[in-house]
Amino acid sequence: MSTDTLELTIADYRDPSDAADLVTLMDEYAQDPFGGGEPLDEVCRRELANKLAEFPGAFTVLAYREGKPVGLVNCFMGFSTFMCKPLVNIHDVVVSKSARGGGICTAMFEKVVEEARARGCCKITLEVLEKNLPAQAAYRKVGFKPYALDESFGQAEFWQRYL
């Protein structure tokens, strides 16, 4: 598939169409084994777009092919204390199963880079599961690599604590 009919846009969370596309793509991701394998919770389906609209620094790249939503990247602004500049953290990357292999991920990441530069960011970060090799390959293709300050201390790990 070529990307010549691909349209990329920054979502307007208050627009009902953008909100519906966001939820549809997030639900597809949630049901994928790498997204947890369960449908998106009903509360999340109902409130996600509004909560994102209220969250400072959130933005979403939506990808459409021939008018149909085929991908998204959810991003959140952060800050690099070492570089004393803002950064973008990519939280979710979704390409519909039927649209994979067509350059959509690469195109969406370029849109994120464009937005990050416009916002004066110094870098873009993301997390990826260690066994999600297709995603890792896609991320390496667009210039991402595991994070390490000093290779002798190893790579950074992403940890969490639920509240």
Side-chain angles (χ1 to χ4, degrees):
M1 279 186 186
S2 70
T3 58
D4 56 334
T5 60
L6 190 66
E7 179 189 347
L8 301 170
T9 185
I10 301 296
D12 175 352
Y13 298 126
R14 302 281 187 210
D15 178 90
S17 180
D18 284 3
D21 294 342
L22 168 77
V23 169
T24 297
L25 289 162
M26 284 301 300
D27 187 53
E28 180 180 343
Y29 177 43
Q31 292 184 53
D32 185 274
F34 286 116
E38 298 287 331
L40 206 57
D41 177 87
E42 187 55 40
V43 171
C44 190
R45 293 177 65 81
R46 186 176 58 249
E47 297 182 13
L48 181 59
N50 286 333
K51 294 289 187 179
L52 286 170
E54 295 168 3
F55 198 84
F59 70 94
T60 298
V61 172
L62 288 171
Y64 295 89
R65 175 160 280 137
E66 298 173 6
K68 295 180 182 177
V70 293
L72 73 72
V73 179
N74 285 326
C75 304
F76 298 92
M77 297 297 295
F79 193 80
S80 170
T81 52
F82 287 148
M83 298 179 115
C84 200
K85 291 184 178 184
L87 60 82
V88 169
N89 178 259
I90 294 173
H91 192 69
D92 305 298
V93 179
V94 181
V95 176
S96 289
K97 189 174 275 190
S98 64
R100 292 179 185 162
I104 293 168
C105 186
T106 299
M108 290 190 305
F109 273 56
E110 288 308 311
K111 183 73 171 174
V112 172
V113 167
E114 178 185 308
E115 186 68 18
R117 284 186 174 137
R119 293 174 181 230
C121 295
C122 61
K123 68 179 177 178
I124 300 169
T125 63
L126 57 76
E127 304 90 40
V128 61
L129 295 173
E130 72 177 297
K131 294 190 179 178
N132 192 345
L133 301 180
Q136 289 181 27
Y139 303 158
R140 287 179 193 276
K141 181 179 176 184
V142 294
F144 285 88
K145 61 182 182 178
Y147 173 74
L149 286 174
D150 180 331
E151 294 294 331
S152 66
F153 291 110
Q155 296 175 3
E157 296 178 353
F158 183 73
W159 291 18
Q160 68 181 5
R161 176 183 167 186
Y162 284 109
L163 303 177

